[in-house]
Amino acid sequence: MSSLKAELGSGIRRGKDYLEGLQDDRDVWMHGEKVADVTKHPGLCRGAHTLAEFMDRQFDDKYKDTITYQEDGKTYATSYLIPKSKEDVVKRGESFYEWASWSNGMFGRTPDYKNASVMAFASGADFLKEGRPEFAENMRNYYEYVRSNDKVLTHTLINPTFNFAQAKEGKYSDKVALQIVKETDSGIVVSGARLLATLGPHADEIEVFPSTLLKGSEENMPFAFAFTTPTNAKGVRMICRDSYDHGKSTFDAPLSSRFEEMDAVVIFDNVHVPWERVFMYREPLLCNRAFAETNAVIHMMHQVVCGKLAKAEFIVGLLCAMAKASGKDKDMGVKGMIAEAMWMAETVRAFRFQAESLSVEDQFGTYMPQRRPLDTSRNMFPKMYPRLIELVHLLGSSSLMATPSEADLSNDLADDVAKYFQTVNLESKDRIALFRLAHDVAVSGFGNRQVLYERFFFGPQNVMASIYYDLYNKDDMIAKVDELLNR
Ligand SMILES: Cc1cc2nc3c(=O)[nH]c(=O)nc-3n(C[C@H](O)[C@H](O)[C@H](O)COP(=O)(O)OP(=O)(O)OC[C@H]3O[C@@H](n4cnc5c(N)ncnc54)[C@H](O)[C@@H]3O)c2cc1C
């Protein structure tokens, strides 16, 4: 019996068990030092505890009907539910939205994102048989393993760009890119680097799936594979960016004190991957087709659109509250600015509900939301979000800087602060709290990273746009032009 099959768990997991699982010998580095314990490290611990608290909500009567489901006497996260009807797709959407609303979309990489991908690969596992028959079984076993143990996954899909001209041609540099260096009876051995594991230090598992475009040549075979590995596997090392959690209070840094999800470059130094964790191997063209043909990309986009709706709604709420603070909300120009944000939120909402209401059964008997509205959303939100943040800047202006700290509410400055920071509609303390939140959204390192994340996390914008163009039913549109010309 394979080891994954022998390690099935009992379903949803409590936050304390998740945290205990992180206390292993994972090789995580930050600020020049090896992290001894990610649940205690000042730059990582509060993000880990936030996620643990979210996981506990799976046991809470208030949420459990939405975010969990029952099967064979066990309770699982809804993101693992293989949808067999439109109602299932809708339930999945409600669960994604619920998870995202806990952070207002600011903890973008909740585990449901990767769960959606594993679910889709498992339900479309027959696709993997094209590589080797046993790869489909591997995927189904892996799904059962992560679902029943409620594992938290990250993924690393992108090789570092060493030479852009080479990368554009779908080739990778053997100096830096992750590649197969050895094959043994027990598995494969890989070395190289991958970008960029959001939530990496907080994850139990890494999904190392194919980069989007690989030329189907012999030289690319060592770069073409899909596998998973435990985060603490020997030879896996994570190099983190600086933490944006600077230890401030939740008043001073309402977002970065809670939702630091961390991004890390992952180095693989002769990492052994057992065959049971391999799903594609030395097949560049198969790898290129995998996310599309298993429909994993659609189910991931579904999680994303629900999360972006929560995020856009939050920014609208923030802009309205900011405008109301000083009475700017009576100004026609300000109303127009905020209306622009409202249109974006309502556009994302329309994408979500159109996609869900037009759900269809796929070739594997699994229901999926309609691709086009989701794809439109994933192409447009990277442009919407920077504009939303620009609106926060334009509306907030100097108020984003007039932000004394929590300590100033009770020290020698307290009287000045109480007097000079009030507005017509808010006491100083409430005004400062609001604009510190706006600062964390739009000015802080945390906020700027959010903008970068929205621009890039789903892939290069030009590549996503080009895929969108290729899939669009252009002939139907051209036919309208032809009809007029020939009328
Ligand atoms: C905050 C943040 C979080 C992220 N989290 C994750 C994560 O969790 N997991 C993950 O895997 N990635 C993650 N990413 C990485 C993200 O997927 C990449 O940033 C994105 O795909 C762009 O790639 P790049 O950064 O290598 O940019 P570039 O150097 O521009 O690379 C572009 C790549 O896209 C392709 N490409 C670009 N232009 C063309 C073209 N004209 N023709 C053909 N191919 C082209 C090539 O493959 C090239 O290597 C994250 C990024 C950010 C900023």
Side-chain angles (χ1 to χ4, degrees):
M1 188 185 268
S2 77
S3 58
L4 290 183
K5 276 172 109 173
E7 289 177 39
L8 294 187
S10 55
I12 50 170
R13 205 163 36 139
R14 294 207 178 260
K16 74 173 174 35
D17 298 323
Y18 158 67
L19 291 173
E20 265 171 42
L22 295 181
Q23 292 175 303
D24 54 19
D25 55 354
R26 63 191 52 211
D27 194 9
V28 175
W29 289 73
M30 193 199 297
H31 303 158
E33 285 172 1
K34 183 165 169 165
V35 173
D37 181 343
V38 299
T39 70
K40 299 203 168 79
H41 187 279
L44 292 167
C45 63
R46 292 200 285 187
H49 282 83
T50 294
L51 189 48
E53 190 236 305
F54 288 175
M55 293 183 78
D56 277 337
R57 295 187 188 195
Q58 298 182 110
F59 296 85
D60 188 326
D61 286 344
K62 188 170 166 200
Y63 307 109
K64 68 182 185 194
D65 287 347
T66 306
I67 64 171
T68 66
Y69 71 103
Q70 308 270 329
E71 193 180 294
D72 298 333
K74 289 184 186 173
T75 305
Y76 301 107
T78 300
S79 45
Y80 283 120
L81 173 68
I82 296 179
K84 292 293 173 196
S85 64
K86 188 173 141 184
E87 289 68 38
D88 284 350
V89 173
V90 170
K91 179 176 167 83
R92 289 174 57 80
E94 285 165 356
S95 172
F96 294 144
Y97 180 77
E98 184 64 53
W99 270 87
S101 64
W102 301 334
S103 70
N104 294 304
M106 292 291 167
F107 199 114
R109 197 53 69 77
T110 44
D112 50 347
Y113 180 59
K114 289 315 306 159
N115 298 354
S117 161
V118 176
M119 179 287 293
F121 270 101
S123 74
D126 283 349
F127 168 84
L128 302 170
K129 284 183 181 165
E130 263 191 59
R132 289 185 191 176
E134 66 269 27
F135 288 163
E137 191 58 17
N138 288 357
M139 195 68 233
R140 292 192 189 102
N141 291 340
Y142 184 71
Y143 165 76
E144 285 304 341
Y145 170 71
V146 291
R147 173 172 84 134
S148 65
N149 287 290
D150 203 13
K151 292 286 187 190
V152 171
L153 271 74
T154 182
H155 69 169
T156 55
L157 309 183
I158 307 290
N159 285 314
T161 300
F162 177 72
N163 173 344
F164 184 68
Q166 188 189 33
K168 212 170 134 178
E169 281 181 33
K171 295 185 198 158
Y172 290 100
S173 157
D174 59 9
K175 287 189 171 61
V176 296
L178 183 63
Q179 60 206 277
I180 302 159
V181 292
K182 205 158 93 181
E183 177 182 330
T184 70
D185 288 346
S186 62
I188 61 175
V189 178
V190 293
S191 279
R194 275 287 177 101
L195 313 172
L196 179 72
T198 298
L199 203 67
H202 296 135
D204 305 304
E205 292 270 321
I206 314 173
E207 189 191 83
V208 188
F209 272 39
S211 306
T212 38
L213 301 162
L214 270 170
K215 202 169 180 162
S217 59
E218 181 78 25
E219 64 179 319
N220 262 346
M221 287 186 177
F223 302 104
F225 45 75
F227 68 83
T228 56
T229 180
T231 308
N232 66 354
K234 187 166 175 289
V236 172
R237 167 170 289 171
M238 295 201 180
I239 305 179
C240 302
R241 60 164 165 76
D242 290 1
S243 176
Y244 298 125
D245 182 356
H246 302 300
K248 293 179 181 170
S249 69
T250 53
F251 181 94
D252 281 345
L255 301 179
S256 42
S257 62
R258 297 179 167 106
F259 305 129
E260 169 55 286
E261 58 187 357
M262 190 45 70
D263 310 283
V265 172
V266 188
I267 314 287
F268 297 78
D269 180 10
N270 285 296
V271 175
H272 177 262
V273 182
W275 281 116
E276 65 169 346
R277 282 176 170 275
V278 179
F279 314 107
M280 284 187 274
Y281 184 60
R282 295 178 66 85
E283 298 252 26
L285 296 181
L286 197 68
C287 283
N288 290 346
R289 291 162 44 208
F291 274 101
E293 292 192 27
T294 58
N295 297 316
V297 71
I298 294 179
H299 292 286
M300 290 163 74
M301 288 193 280
H302 188 202
Q303 188 270 357
V304 167
V305 80
C306 296
K308 300 317 161 203
L309 175 57
K311 199 166 188 172
E313 287 175 336
F314 173 62
I315 304 293
V316 170
L318 179 66
L319 288 166
C320 291
M322 287 164 63
K324 203 171 161 191
S326 63
K328 272 188 187 172
D329 58 339
K330 305 288 182 291
D331 180 83
M332 202 183 286
V334 169
K335 286 183 192 180
M337 270 168 71
I338 300 178
E340 187 185 342
M342 291 166 171
W343 300 330
M344 289 187 240
E346 295 316 308
T347 303
V348 178
R349 190 190 315 282
F351 289 144
R352 173 190 167 190
F353 288 115
Q354 187 196 9
E356 290 177 355
S357 70
L358 297 176
S359 295
V360 288
E361 193 175 1
D362 71 9
Q363 68 274 37
F364 308 107
T366 302
Y367 271 70
M368 58 177 184
Q370 196 192 43
R371 174 169 181 143
R372 189 185 298 164
L374 299 180
D375 213 349
T376 311
S377 183
R378 88 157 162 161
N379 275 275
M380 287 186 69
F381 203 76
K383 296 175 172 58
M384 287 178 182
Y385 193 72
R387 176 63 181 153
L388 288 170
I389 296 310
E390 189 180 18
L391 291 171
V392 176
H393 287 171
L394 293 173
L395 192 63
S397 60
S398 62
S399 290
L400 296 166
M401 301 287 109
T403 47
S405 61
E406 187 175 18
D408 298 323
L409 298 167
S410 55
N411 63 12
D412 290 349
L413 300 181
D415 289 345
D416 277 352
V417 169
K419 180 170 179 192
Y420 294 114
F421 288 81
Q422 60 182 319
T423 57
V424 64
N425 288 323
L426 286 180
E427 297 291 323
S428 283
K429 183 179 178 191
D430 296 334
R431 187 258 180 123
I432 292 165
L434 177 64
F435 282 92
R436 289 198 76 96
L437 172 62
H439 181 279
D440 223 6
V441 168
V443 183
S444 70
F446 178 92
N448 275 289
R449 181 258 172 201
Q450 292 281 332
V451 175
L452 196 69
Y453 182 81
E454 296 304 348
R455 287 189 202 272
F456 289 114
F457 82 94
F458 218 134
Q461 289 188 23
N462 57 346
V463 174
M464 293 195 305
S466 155
I467 293 169
Y468 187 91
Y469 176 90
D470 288 343
L471 292 177
Y472 200 83
N473 54 344
K474 296 178 283 296
D475 289 347
D476 292 357
M477 304 298 163
I478 293 172
K480 294 175 195 296
V481 177
D482 290 344
E483 188 278 327
L484 183 88
L485 292 174
N486 296 321
R487 200 179 288 175

